[in-house]
Amino acid sequence: MKQDPADDSDHRRPATKLVQGGRRKDWTGLASGGAIVSPPVWRASTILYDDTAALKAGLKTNEDGKLFYGRRGTPTQWSLADALTELEPGAAGTMLFPSGAAAVAGALTSVLKAGDHLLMVDTVYDPTRRLCDAYLTPRGVTTTYYDPLIGAGIDSLVQANTRAIFMESPGSLTFEVQDVPAIVAMAKSRGLVTLIDNTWATPLYLPVIAMGVDLSIIACTKYIVGHSDAMIGSVTSAPATWGDLRLTAQVLGQHVGPDDAWLAMRGMRTLDVRLARHRDSALEIAHWLCSRPEVSSVLHPAIPESPGHEIFLRDFRGSSGLFSFALARGSADRFVDSLHHFGIGYSWGGFESLALPVDPSRCRSVSSWQGGPLVRLQIGLEDVRDLIEDLGQALRTI
Ligand SMILES: *Cc1c(COP(=O)(O)O)cnc(C)c1O
């Protein structure tokens, strides 16, 4: 859905936008009067036109927010896209994708073509690395991985054919915070496009379009849906890259089912309060882990020893519920198997806590992880005292 990015008269704060987002009267009301609170699930493939003149007119306009064909969405998907766009001041619009991985692929392929060079952060989510190595490379796009702490020094890696810089901050598994303003300033001076995977902070804690990033990618599967029961991705774009993003999503046939879009919209209403609880509990646990002799380091952007901590303090409005810590000795597998309140499984951002033994050396080419056995925790909405008791008993078993 397209917004007018020049309109900066909207001073509502994010929590208010989450409550009001996507609830346009023409999506919630009836011509006969009255309106419901939330846009309902509209299921559609065929859209019926009044007559052949309306059919032909529809072909010409290709307008957002107009029923055309099911693949272009209904008010259910439009309201979600609209609400996501509103969270990023300065954005032109948001395209939805069937997963976070599809959103990453859609954003990158909307920017890159054969012959281009991409600068990719070394601590990127592993499937994004695989997209570069297994899909983009054979199709003529070269990738150079860079140190997440490189900052303005990224200038030295730019080649004549460099087209884009991809960031993820903090980094996957090891949580290095990137100097987004420095990288954006360099990119703008060289005419490069910037993309960021903003799944961890969400626009609530890092509104990246206002910071000058062109494309903000979110795996909505995580905090936006928030209940571990649907998969969706989104890309929100600044005006300059919006046309290519929209075209790419449309020609690749990207579509999100209305039931999943509705679940994501439902999740978004409580995003602010859920994130606050994830943030507070994760901070309490991170500080508690710092005091434990069995733990050698805690990789959480709000912990002073964590790489990029000063940049985190400067740029972020908050931290979320995912972080890692290293054991001084023993086995990460044994530790995770000893937990009772933490599920063992991929993904994160739901209401429930999860724990995973992780090995960053599997998916790094520039930096290398030197610490002890690493555990990644997703801190859910349980009572933090129960979680700390559980972590304490598991630490004693190793
Ligand atoms: C999970 C995740 C993705 C991919 O999202 P899916 O919906 O699982 O495809 C992308 N980036 C990050 C940082 C993630 O954690």
Side-chain angles (χ1 to χ4, degrees):
M1 291 299 299
K2 193 166 159 55
Q3 305 269 305
D4 177 5
D7 177 12
D8 58 0
S9 62
D10 186 355
H11 299 300
R12 291 173 304 152
R13 291 162 180 85
T16 306
K17 290 179 176 174
L18 288 171
V19 168
Q20 299 173 349
R23 289 170 50 198
R24 293 192 196 175
K25 189 82 184 287
D26 50 344
W27 298 340
T28 56
L30 292 173
S32 55
I36 54 174
V37 174
S38 288
V41 178
W42 290 58
R43 294 194 184 83
S45 57
T46 297
I47 305 298
L48 299 173
Y49 294 81
D50 284 347
D51 50 33
T52 54
L55 182 77
K56 284 170 192 157
L59 262 184
K60 265 184 247 147
T61 53
N62 183 19
E63 264 183 72
D64 288 307
K66 286 250 157 63
L67 287 172
F68 173 75
Y69 175 54
R71 202 169 53 229
R72 294 271 175 83
T74 68
T76 312
Q77 292 96 343
W78 302 337
S79 68
L80 174 63
D82 230 32
L84 286 163
T85 305
E86 279 188 359
L87 288 181
E88 291 275 14
T94 297
M95 294 307 289
L96 301 177
F97 293 83
S99 69
V104 169
L108 277 170
T109 50
S110 79
V111 169
L112 298 166
K113 58 179 183 338
D116 286 344
H117 173 242
L118 168 70
L119 286 168
M120 173 59 72
V121 66
D122 196 39
T123 42
V124 75
Y125 178 63
D126 195 22
T128 301
R129 173 181 286 268
R130 185 149 169 74
L131 169 76
C132 296
D133 299 345
Y135 183 84
L136 293 177
T137 302
R139 285 163 183 78
V141 174
T142 52
T143 303
T144 301
Y145 292 95
Y146 65 88
D147 186 315
L149 302 176
I150 198 168
I154 199 166
D155 197 39
S156 66
L157 298 179
V158 174
Q159 304 175 6
N161 61 338
T162 303
R163 172 82 180 117
I165 305 175
F166 192 104
M167 299 169 273
E168 183 178 319
S169 183
S172 271
L173 310 183
T174 41
F175 298 90
E176 295 86 348
V177 178
Q178 292 194 246
D179 194 339
V180 173
I183 291 174
V184 165
M186 194 288 297
K188 287 205 184 300
S189 74
R190 301 266 206 142
L192 309 180
V193 174
T194 48
L195 309 90
I196 191 167
D197 185 327
N198 201 26
T199 302
W200 187 87
T202 81
L204 262 55
Y205 291 161
L206 196 70
V208 290
I209 300 291
M211 296 169 79
V213 175
D214 294 304
L215 295 155
S216 170
I217 302 154
I218 301 180
C220 299
T221 306
K222 313 294 167 56
Y223 287 126
I224 305 292
V225 167
H227 294 72
S228 305
D229 50 10
M231 303 195 74
I232 291 195
S234 69
V235 184
T236 300
S237 177
T241 41
W242 168 243
D244 283 342
L245 173 70
R246 183 168 175 270
L247 176 95
T248 304
Q250 287 186 352
V251 297
L252 293 181
Q254 297 293 3
H255 173 262
V256 167
D259 296 276
D260 289 341
W262 187 88
L263 284 170
M265 192 70 255
R266 159 69 63 99
M268 254 179 106
R269 302 293 178 206
T270 56
L271 179 63
D272 187 72
V273 283
R274 282 188 292 108
L275 267 187
R277 176 69 169 263
H278 287 295
R279 174 196 66 207
D280 293 347
S281 294
L283 276 172
E284 190 172 338
I285 291 172
H287 285 294
W288 175 81
L289 285 168
C290 287
S291 73
R292 295 291 308 207
E294 302 93 338
V295 172
S296 63
S297 61
V298 177
L299 302 173
H300 182 305
I303 296 291
E305 293 75 32
S306 203
H309 171 67
E310 297 74 22
I311 295 168
F312 167 78
L313 291 181
R314 186 193 68 193
D315 293 347
F316 284 65
R317 296 177 180 173
S319 52
S320 62
L322 188 80
F323 69 98
S324 293
F325 70 95
L327 294 165
R329 71 191 72 80
S331 146
D333 291 353
R334 173 104 188 268
F335 173 82
V336 168
D337 283 335
S338 309
L339 293 165
H340 303 305
H341 293 324
F342 290 77
I344 303 173
Y346 295 113
S347 203
W348 49 282
F351 54 79
E352 82 293 6
S353 289
L354 298 170
L356 271 186
V358 292
D359 176 12
S361 61
R362 249 185 355 99
C363 48
R364 298 283 192 271
S365 46
V366 178
S367 44
S368 63
W369 168 247
Q370 305 287 356
L374 206 59
V375 176
R376 190 186 75 174
L377 297 178
Q378 126 86 6
I379 304 302
L381 305 180
E382 301 89 346
D383 190 312
V384 70
R385 292 168 296 187
D386 290 331
L387 299 179
I388 288 178
E389 279 167 20
D390 193 24
L391 291 163
Q393 66 78 23
L395 283 176
R396 285 190 293 277
T397 65
I398 50 162

